[in-house]
């Protein structure tokens, strides 16, 4: 943000470039000159204060200070004073600001005034305020601990700032925390690269970072948050360390990215609110847009790569802890790097576009249905193999366009409306070569749309391709292959039944009684499967409805056994003659139990946690 006089703050070139690149309509810069009344109110309730400056090499660094609400407050005329206890040792920002001068020239020059940027934040209410300006003075008063050697480690610090701009930010992607003050006992565990295990563990659990970026007329410090693990480690070896994080849908001001567009240097701090450990980093960024973002971090249209030049991991370096509260409803699921797992967003290698058109819908239960699609261009779409999924794109049908906030459906702001569904029909079965089926449960926005659409309406959606490798293998001379399905988890097996010897298959199928219609339909379509099936039906209490009773009776006549209860450990452990490789397609909770029950066995499972 370039400063113009005292009455207006306008966009600088980097911000304008980002707006144009991301098709943001013209808008005024909402940053207020000086410390606005709103900014003052938010500052006075803030219990955390992220502070960014440049070091002698021009590299940005960020630190995070804590205190009672009001530890940073207005002194009048856009002057802010801060007073709190902090671990000054090993803190790259405080070390620069509070270090003693060593020469007469340094003493004459002094450490101040110095450009700074900051973010006051109160996680208990998700309020935050951005500040920028000049730091006027700073020093220490006494010591915050009587421990031996603490004079250079912990002290009460006082800083004075002149505020030149302030901006209140929205509460998205902030997870609530109650801040509890403690006395830090800093110990630097590492200041070398690559990152050690303790730093990697912190990044894996972190749900927040604070980043400082630079522009000659403006610095910016802001937060990035999300689910635990939203920061991904792309590379960590002697040739370099690279982190990647997604840029979720926000207010579209792009102040941080505007700075990084012109000057890629950034300083990031990642706090551990549980232990008080902290990771300080400085390095260079690369903004990833569109395909570049999706190729690195699938499901992302915008992301940032951060190559670390220097890092410092400090144990117990923070003067506070954070007690976790409500998670932000706006947090999307963790997005994984393409190098970390198979990506459930298959893309055809052909440059053409294929579409899938709905032809029929068979309702199997009130919440489960089978849909048949035809493919507009089978050559472009490619052929699937049994056990694979199809990726369909519903953005044109469901996206409401940009919205800053959406409290009625917060996750929609970062939803690309691409969904993957296991293909439940074999590629060489009774259907035409250009047709396939999916069997799905109505559980969300996209599936709700499919359940509500008219199959005769001619709906077509882009078909992104087929992917996945969940194949059941029956080796010559091996025993009976065990497969555990939970409810709709039967679908990857359905497409493979024609290629399997059902007499060498043992299916453990656990369902809620609400889904017994799915079991009955499957056994009608594949009657040879019956002798190989053990069915476990939960949710039975009192008299069954006529519909459920009829379906359950049909299932009991068709299969080898039906237990009116949940699947239990003795069920999977009591069978003889089973192969050592178990195939699992269930929800996360049951899968966790199965992996514990089947210790010592090889397990292959379908991952629903995309």
């Amino acid at each position: 943000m370039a400063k113009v006089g005292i009455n207006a703050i306008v966009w600088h070139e980097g911000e304008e470039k980002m707006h144009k690149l991301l098709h943001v309509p013209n808008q005024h810069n909402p940053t207020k000159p000086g410390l606005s009344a709103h900014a003052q109110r938010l500052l006075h309730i803030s219990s955390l204060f992220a502070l960014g400056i440049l070091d002698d090499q021009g590299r940005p660094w960020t630190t995070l200070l804590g205190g009672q609400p009001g530890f940073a407050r207005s002194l009048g005329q856009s002057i802010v004073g801060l007073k709190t206890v902090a671990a000054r040792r090993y803190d790259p920002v405080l070390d620069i600001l509070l270090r003693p001068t060593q020469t007469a020239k340094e003493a004459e020059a002094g450490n101040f005034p110095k450009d700074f940027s900051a973010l006051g934040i109160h996680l208990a209410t998700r309020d935050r305020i951005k500040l920028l300006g000049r730091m006027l003075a700073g020093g220490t008063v006494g010591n915050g601990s009587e421990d031996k050697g603490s004079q250079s480690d912990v002290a009460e610090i006082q800083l004075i700032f002149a505020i030149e701009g302030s901006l209140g930010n929205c509460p998205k992607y902030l997870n609530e925390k109650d801040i509890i003050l403690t006395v830090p006992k800093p110990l630097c565990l590492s200041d070398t690269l690559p990152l050690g295990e303790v730093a990697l563990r912190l990044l894996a659990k972190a749900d927040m970072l604070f980043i400082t970026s630079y522009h000659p007329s403006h610095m910016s410090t802001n937060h990035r948050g999300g689910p635990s693990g939203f920061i991904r480690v792309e590379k960590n070896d002697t040739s370099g360390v690279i982190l990647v994080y997604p840029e979720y849908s926000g207010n579209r001001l792009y102040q941080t990215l505007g700075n990084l567009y012109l000057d890629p240097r950034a300083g990031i701090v990642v706090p551990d609110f549980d232990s008080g450990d902290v990771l300080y980093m400085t390095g260079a960024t690369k903004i990833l847009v569109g395909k570049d973002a999706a190729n690195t971090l699938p499901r992302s249209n915008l992301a940032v790569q951060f190559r670390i030049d220097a890092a410092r991991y400090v144990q117990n370096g923070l003067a506070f802890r954070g007690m976790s509260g409500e998670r932000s409803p706006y947090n999307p699921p963790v997005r994984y790097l393409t190098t970390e797992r198979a990506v459930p967003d298959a893309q055809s290698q052909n440059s053409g576009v294929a579409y899938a058109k709905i032809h029929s819908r068979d309702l199997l239960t009130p919440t489960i249905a089978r849909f048949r699609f035809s493919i507009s261009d089978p050559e472009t779409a490619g052929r699937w193999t049994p056990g694979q999924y199809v990726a369909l794109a519903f953005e044109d049908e469901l996206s409401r366009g940009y919205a800053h906030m959406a409290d009625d459906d917060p996750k929609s702001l970062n939803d690309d409306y691409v969904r993957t569904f296991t293909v439940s029909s074999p590629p060489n079965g009774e259907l035409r070569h250009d047709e396939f089926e999916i069997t799905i449960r109505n559980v969300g926005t996209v599936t709700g749309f499919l359940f509500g659409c008219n199959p005769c309406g001619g709906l077509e959606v882009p078909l992104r391709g087929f992917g996945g490798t969940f194949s059941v293998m029956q080796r010559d001379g091996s025993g009976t292959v065990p497969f555990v399905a939970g409810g709709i988890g039967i679908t990857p097996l359905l497409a493979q039944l024609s290629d399997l010897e059902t007499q060498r298959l043992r299916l453990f199928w656990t369902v809620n009684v609400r889904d017994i219609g799915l079991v009955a339909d499957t056994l009608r379509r594949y009657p040879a499967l019956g002798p190989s099936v053990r069915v476990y039906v939960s949710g039975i209490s009192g008299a069954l409805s006529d519909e459920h009773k009829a379906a359950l009776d049909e299932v009991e006549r068709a299969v080898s056994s039906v237990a009116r209860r949940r699947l239990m450990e003795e069920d999977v452990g009591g069978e003889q003659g089973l192969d050592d490789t178990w195939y699992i397609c269930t929800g996360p909770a049951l899968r966790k139990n199965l992996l514990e029950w089947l210790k010592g066995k090889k397990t292959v499972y379908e991952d629903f946690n995309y």
Side-chain angles (χ1 to χ4, degrees):
M1 290 169 290
K3 297 181 283 294
V4 179
I6 193 171
N7 296 316
I9 298 178
V10 299
W11 305 115
H12 66 59
E13 179 187 0
E15 293 163 330
E16 291 177 338
K17 292 283 190 182
M18 287 304 304
H19 295 168
K20 183 176 180 179
L21 184 64
L22 297 170
H23 310 290
V24 177
N26 291 333
Q27 58 180 324
H28 76 282
N29 192 327
T31 305
K32 304 297 183 184
L35 185 68
S36 69
H38 177 65
Q40 179 175 309
R41 183 185 66 80
L42 294 181
L43 180 64
H44 288 180
I45 66 171
S46 295
S47 54
L48 296 177
F49 192 86
L51 174 62
I53 64 167
L54 301 183
D55 66 12
D56 295 340
Q57 302 176 50
R59 302 178 303 180
W61 290 92
T62 311
T63 190
L64 186 61
L65 306 174
Q68 294 290 346
F71 78 99
R73 62 187 306 105
S74 172
L75 303 179
Q77 299 296 315
S78 290
I79 302 298
V80 166
L82 178 149
K83 181 169 69 174
T84 193
V85 171
R88 55 176 296 182
R89 191 175 188 187
Y90 308 124
D91 184 315
V93 173
L94 297 183
D95 179 61
I96 294 168
L97 295 177
L98 304 178
R99 65 189 174 196
T101 54
Q102 301 297 318
T103 66
K105 183 177 181 180
E106 288 178 344
E108 181 179 352
N111 287 333
F112 306 103
K114 183 180 291 291
D115 287 342
F116 88 97
S117 56
L119 183 77
I121 191 167
H122 191 54
L123 291 176
T125 57
R126 298 191 176 114
D127 287 304
R128 55 189 171 123
I129 182 68
K130 287 182 66 178
L131 305 171
L132 66 106
R134 303 276 283 172
M135 189 174 300
L136 302 180
T140 60
V141 180
N143 301 306
S145 170
E146 297 302 323
D147 292 348
K148 182 178 179 180
S150 65
Q151 291 187 3
S152 60
D153 290 352
V154 180
E156 182 182 87
I157 64 170
Q158 294 186 3
L159 303 171
I160 305 296
F161 310 93
I163 308 302
E164 297 175 349
S166 56
L167 174 67
N169 276 11
C170 71
K172 287 186 297 188
Y173 320 120
L174 287 173
N175 300 313
E176 288 184 359
K177 291 179 174 61
D178 288 323
I179 300 302
I180 300 171
L181 302 184
T182 62
V183 176
K185 295 182 180 179
L187 175 64
C188 185
L189 297 186
S190 174
D191 59 2
T192 60
L193 297 174
L195 297 175
E197 285 300 319
V198 65
L200 295 176
R201 286 196 297 270
L202 170 53
L203 291 172
K205 67 181 283 191
D207 62 3
M208 178 177 293
L209 63 82
F210 296 87
I211 179 170
T212 295
S213 57
Y214 179 74
H215 182 268
S217 64
H218 160 61
M219 290 181 65
S220 173
T221 296
N222 211 339
H223 103 288
R224 294 294 184 267
S228 296
F230 81 102
I231 308 168
R232 310 310 301 169
V233 180
E234 184 177 23
K235 184 179 182 182
N236 184 48
D237 55 37
T238 55
S239 66
V241 181
I242 300 176
L243 308 182
V244 180
Y245 66 85
E247 285 281 341
Y248 300 135
S249 175
N251 54 21
R252 300 206 293 182
L253 302 184
Y254 298 119
Q255 294 175 332
T256 297
L257 295 186
N259 285 356
L260 298 178
Y261 186 92
L262 298 178
D263 186 336
R265 295 175 297 175
I268 290 178
V269 61
V270 181
D272 187 331
F273 287 96
D274 298 323
S275 68
D277 292 1
V278 58
L279 176 62
Y280 303 101
M281 300 172 285
T282 190
T285 61
K286 181 180 180 181
I287 302 170
L288 305 177
V289 180
K291 289 185 178 179
D292 290 338
N295 289 340
T296 299
L297 199 65
R299 300 291 177 84
S300 299
N301 184 57
L302 191 60
V304 172
Q305 277 183 328
F306 179 61
R307 179 180 288 274
I308 303 174
D309 293 331
R312 187 179 300 178
Y313 189 95
V314 182
Q315 183 183 73
N316 202 0
L318 300 176
F320 55 85
R321 302 292 185 270
M323 300 295 293
S324 295
E326 182 185 32
R327 312 292 292 179
S328 172
Y330 285 88
N331 287 343
V334 172
R335 298 172 182 174
Y336 295 91
L337 298 164
T338 53
T339 55
E340 293 182 282
R341 58 165 59 186
V343 184
D345 185 9
Q347 295 285 346
S348 170
Q349 298 303 309
N350 195 306
S351 60
V353 178
Y355 290 86
K357 181 179 180 180
I358 293 181
H359 277 277
S360 67
R361 178 188 64 214
D362 295 324
L363 199 63
L364 308 180
T365 78
T367 61
I368 297 176
R370 180 171 53 246
F371 293 83
R372 181 176 297 183
F373 291 83
S374 65
I375 304 171
S376 65
D377 186 345
E379 183 177 349
T380 293
R383 199 68 174 149
W384 72 95
T385 58
Q388 287 194 309
Y389 56 74
V390 60
L392 303 175
F394 293 85
E395 183 178 12
D396 292 342
E397 305 296 331
L398 295 175
S399 177
R400 298 182 293 181
Y402 172 76
H404 181 204
M405 304 290 287
D407 290 339
D408 60 327
D409 187 12
K411 286 184 167 43
S412 67
L413 297 190
N414 292 286
D415 197 339
D416 60 2
Y417 297 103
V418 174
R419 296 293 188 271
T420 58
F421 303 105
T422 301
V423 179
S424 56
S425 58
N428 299 307
E430 297 179 355
L431 303 184
R432 299 194 325 239
H433 78 286
D434 62 344
E435 291 183 332
F436 67 91
E437 290 178 339
I438 60 175
T439 305
I440 62 175
R441 187 189 299 278
N442 187 355
V443 293
T445 302
V446 171
T447 53
F449 171 73
L450 283 173
F451 271 67
C453 73
N454 183 354
C456 300
L459 174 69
E460 284 188 323
V461 295
L463 192 158
R464 294 287 184 86
F466 298 93
T469 56
F470 189 63
S471 298
V472 178
M473 304 296 294
Q474 288 181 321
R475 300 188 302 274
D476 292 340
S478 65
T480 299
V481 174
F483 189 108
V484 184
I488 199 72
I490 191 67
T491 52
L493 182 63
L494 297 182
Q496 303 179 63
L497 284 176
S498 60
D499 296 329
L500 298 174
E501 298 177 40
T502 55
Q503 66 271 24
R504 293 177 54 215
L505 177 70
R506 174 69 71 238
L507 172 60
F508 301 84
W509 194 357
T510 178
V511 299
N512 188 281
V513 69
R514 297 188 305 269
D515 298 337
I516 196 66
L518 170 65
V519 183
D521 175 82
T522 299
L523 294 169
R524 285 194 295 270
R525 301 185 87 196
Y526 305 97
L529 183 63
S532 302
V533 183
R534 308 283 191 268
V535 178
Y536 303 85
V537 185
S538 62
I540 299 177
S541 60
L544 294 174
S545 68
D546 291 342
E547 181 182 3
H548 288 158
K549 185 178 184 305
L552 185 55
D553 288 344
E554 181 181 354
V555 170
E556 287 178 327
R557 292 192 298 269
V559 303
S560 59
S561 70
V562 175
R564 299 190 178 201
R565 57 171 172 79
R566 294 179 181 275
L567 181 73
M568 302 176 69
E569 182 175 4
E570 54 264 31
D571 297 318
V572 298
E575 292 270 351
Q576 301 297 319
L578 298 182
D579 193 79
D580 283 339
T581 300
W582 284 68
Y583 294 86
I584 299 171
C585 191
T586 71
L590 179 56
R591 183 176 70 228
K592 180 180 179 181
N593 288 337
L594 286 165
L595 294 178
E596 181 66 27
W597 298 342
L598 297 172
K599 278 186 175 178
K601 305 288 187 180
K602 180 181 178 181
T603 55
V604 180
Y605 56 85
E606 177 80 306
D607 188 359
F608 287 139
N609 300 321
Y610 295 138

